Amino acid sequence: YAARSGSMIYVVMPQMGKAEAAEVASGVLDAMASSSLGRREVLLKTAIGIASFPKDGDSERILIPHVEAMVHESIRRGDNVVTVYGD
């Protein structure tokens, strides 16, 4: 499932653990980096944050701020980074 809120895009991957989600996210980053679009006039930068329901938050009100904190940590760490809550 995917949803957009402001400049953020949320992807919900049911039945997927954080390690597997991090692998999928890293694959997305690799695909974007190898895209011809990413090497031309358009600069693609992605910051990905991962958290798990219900382990990291048992409601939207708790979980989304954790994900957003991980996105901001990815931004702080540099371009095209995946950060997992609790790692």
Side-chain angles (χ1 to χ4, degrees), residues 4 11 29 43 45 48-49 59-60 71 87:
R4 182 173 162 249
V11 177
L29 293 178
L43 180 61
K45 292 185 179 185
I48 297 176
S59 72
E60 179 181 333
V71 169
D87 283 359

Side-chain angles (χ1 to χ4, degrees), residues 1-3 10-22 24 50-54 63:
Y1 310 101
Y10 296 90
V11 177
V12 178
M13 297 182 283
Q15 309 301 320
M16 186 176 290
K18 290 194 285 189
E20 189 177 1
V24 170
I50 295 175
S52 177
F53 172 85
L63 190 62

Side-chain angles (χ1 to χ4, degrees), residues 21-51:
E23 286 181 37
V24 170
S26 292
V28 169
L29 293 178
D30 291 343
M32 290 176 65
S34 66
S35 165
S36 60
L37 180 63
R39 291 178 276 165
R40 295 201 179 167
E41 301 89 38
V42 177
L43 180 61
L44 300 174
K45 292 185 179 185
T46 304
I48 297 176
I50 295 175

Side-chain angles (χ1 to χ4, degrees), residues 47-49 69-79 81-83:
I48 297 176
M70 295 302 92
V71 169
H72 290 290
E73 177 62 16
S74 292
I75 292 168
R76 187 193 69 73
R77 290 175 49 203
D79 297 340
V81 175
V82 177
T83 306

